[in-house]
Amino acid sequence: MDRRRRRTAVALGTALLTAGVAAGLTVAYVRHGGQSRPVRRLSAIAPAGTTVETLTRPVPASPARPRPTAPSQEGPGWRPIAVSAGLDRLDTATGVVLRIDPVRIEVALVPGTAEPAAGFPAGGAVPVERRHSLIAATNAGFKRHDAGGGEMIDGRTVGALTAGAASLVVHGSGSVDIGAWGQGVGPGPDNVAVLQNLMLLVDHGQATAGLDRDVIARWGATFLPNLPVAVWRSGLGVDSAGRLLYAAGPNIVPAQLAALLVGAGAVRAMELDINHKWVFGALYGHSAPPPDTIHSMALLAGMGPDPAHVLRPGDRDFVAFYQR
C-alpha cells in the first residue's frame, strides 16, 4: 500500500471514531494476495468485556459486490458502523436497532446442536471457513416447541411451517423478507432458510393490535420472580428498502419492541427470543492475517450471552451476518 492510501485509511478511521460512529471500532487496510483490502477490527480501546478469539488460518480476499441502491445513514439518528459497509446503528431510550443491507451483507441462519434439532453439520457455531467474514450475530427465536411454527435450514425442515406464523425468509438471491407465512411469504425454490416465531408484531408499518393483552401467553414466558412482562426482548423487521432490522432492549414489553421497530422504519416485524439469558447482538472485527484474531463486542451492556459463544459449539440457533 502506498503512503497516500495508508494516510487516507487512517484519516477515515479517525474521523469515524471522532464522530462517535462506532465506539471502539477502527478500519485498517492490509495487503493480502498481492491486493490491498479493508480489514474490520475492534480497536485496542474497546471497552471492558470485549472478547477476543484467534482463528489460525489465512483469510481470503472478498470479491467485489455491487453497491446497494438504498443510502446508508438514511433518517435521523442512524450511524454507520465502521466494521462493515451496509451496517448502521440506531440508539434510543428503549433499545438499539441494527440495520443490515443484504446487498452488502449475507444473512444466514445457523443451527445449534439441539435447536432446532440435532444433527446439523454446522455444530452450533459459525463454520470455520466463514469466520473471516463474520461481522455480526444475533439471537434467533424461541425453542422450536414454543415458537408456534417450523424452521428450515439448508433444505432440512424441523417442525411444520405453519400458515399465518411470522416468518423470516432468506432467499438464495441474498434478499430477505419477513411476513405471515402464506400471506406474502411462503414456499419457494429460492428459499434457503425460514425461521418462524409466533405471529407478526408489526404489519403494514403498524404495531399489531392488542399487544398489551395476555402478554405471557402470546409473547412468551418470562423468568421469575413474579413473571414480569418487561424483560429483555428482541425482534427482526424489514423496511421498505428490503433491509433487515434487528432490535433489542432491556425491560421492555411487546408494545415497546414494536414501537422501536416501527420507529426504525419496519413495515413488517416479528419478535425473536426474550429474557436476558437468550437476547444477544454482537459485532465482530478482525486483525490483519495471519492469524486472524476475532474481536467481539456486545451491542448493549447487560446482554447475557458472551458474544464469542457463536465461535464455539452451542445448543441454540442464531443469525449470522457475513461481509460479502
Side-chain angles (χ1 to χ4, degrees), residues 147-161:
E151 189 168 348
M152 189 269 280
I153 306 175
D154 297 332
R156 178 181 172 185
T157 301
V158 178
L161 295 178

Side-chain angles (χ1 to χ4, degrees), residues 33 92 119 133 145 148 197 219 226 237 261 281 287 292 297-298 304 317:
T92 75
S133 58
H145 61 74
N197 204 64
W219 302 103
N226 301 322
L261 285 157
S287 65
D292 179 19
M297 185 172 65
D317 51 351

Side-chain angles (χ1 to χ4, degrees), residues 239-324:
D239 68 10
S240 59
R243 296 169 294 196
L244 199 62
L245 305 167
Y246 171 80
N251 301 317
I252 59 176
V253 297
Q256 290 173 300
L257 178 61
L260 180 59
L261 285 157
V262 170
V267 292
R268 293 175 300 281
M270 60 194 287
E271 185 180 72
L272 293 179
D273 218 343
I274 65 174
N275 294 306
H276 70 278
K277 186 176 181 179
W278 306 118
V279 173
F280 85 93
L283 301 174
Y284 302 87
H286 303 263
S287 65
D292 179 19
T293 300
I294 302 175
H295 308 262
S296 58
M297 185 172 65
L299 286 177
L300 288 176
M303 287 180 159
D306 171 14
H309 79 276
V310 301
L311 305 177
R312 305 184 293 269
D315 61 348
R316 299 295 295 271
D317 51 351
F318 59 91
V319 185
F321 302 95
Y322 303 109
Q323 183 70 65
R324 293 193 184 277

Side-chain angles (χ1 to χ4, degrees), residues 76-79 89-97 248-250 252 256 259-261 263-264 300:
W78 287 103
R79 298 179 298 166
R89 174 182 180 135
L90 176 67
D91 289 281
T92 75
T94 304
V96 63
V97 183
I252 59 176
Q256 290 173 300
L260 180 59
L261 285 157
L300 288 176

Side-chain angles (χ1 to χ4, degrees), residues 221-228 231 275-276:
T222 59
F223 291 149
L224 295 175
N226 301 322
L227 292 176
V231 294
N275 294 306
H276 70 278

Side-chain angles (χ1 to χ4, degrees), residues 93-183:
T94 304
V96 63
V97 183
L98 196 63
R99 186 171 63 189
I100 301 102
D101 188 337
V103 173
R104 292 181 180 269
I105 297 169
E106 179 185 349
V107 181
L109 187 57
V110 182
T113 57
E115 292 292 335
F120 281 94
V126 173
V128 172
E129 66 273 14
R130 302 305 311 274
R131 294 184 183 185
H132 68 276
S133 58
L134 177 69
I135 56 171
T138 71
N139 60 279
F142 289 176
K143 290 183 177 180
R144 203 48 25 216
H145 61 74
D146 296 323
E151 189 168 348
M152 189 269 280
I153 306 175
D154 297 332
R156 178 181 172 185
T157 301
V158 178
L161 295 178
T162 304
S167 306
L168 164 69
V169 181
V170 181
H171 299 292
S173 64
S175 65
V176 296
D177 204 354
I178 289 174
W181 192 253
Q183 304 168 32

